[in-house]
Amino acid sequence: MKYIKWMYVVMAAMVLVNLASEYILNGKYSAIASWLVTALFFFGTLFFINAKHSLSKK
């Protein structure tokens, strides 16, 4: 269950990075924000794999 919570945290962080990039920073650092979203997507995928593995054991 803890992996599912972390997946939600990663998803919320992706949304916050996009919103901060566009509205607070006016798109000046959109390339850096894109890299951050890509890294967060990678970590979210890892949490998904761990959640799938731990839930299939039960």
Side-chain angles (χ1 to χ4, degrees), residues 4-49:
I4 295 173
K5 290 178 185 177
W6 279 108
M7 283 173 45
Y8 181 77
V9 169
V10 169
M11 185 175 60
M14 289 172 68
V15 171
L16 289 175
V17 166
N18 279 328
L19 289 175
S21 171
E22 291 302 318
Y23 293 109
I24 296 174
L25 302 174
N26 294 324
K28 291 181 182 177
Y29 300 102
S30 62
I32 295 171
S34 295
W35 279 106
L36 284 173
V37 168
T38 303
L40 288 170
F41 178 78
F42 176 72
F43 287 123
T45 303
L46 291 177
F47 285 125
F48 174 77
I49 291 169

Side-chain angles (χ1 to χ4, degrees), residues 1-4 50-58:
M1 193 68 171
K2 66 181 178 179
Y3 295 115
I4 295 173
N50 284 334
K52 187 176 176 183
H53 180 69
S54 67
L55 290 176
S56 69
K57 280 184 163 182
K58 293 180 179 180

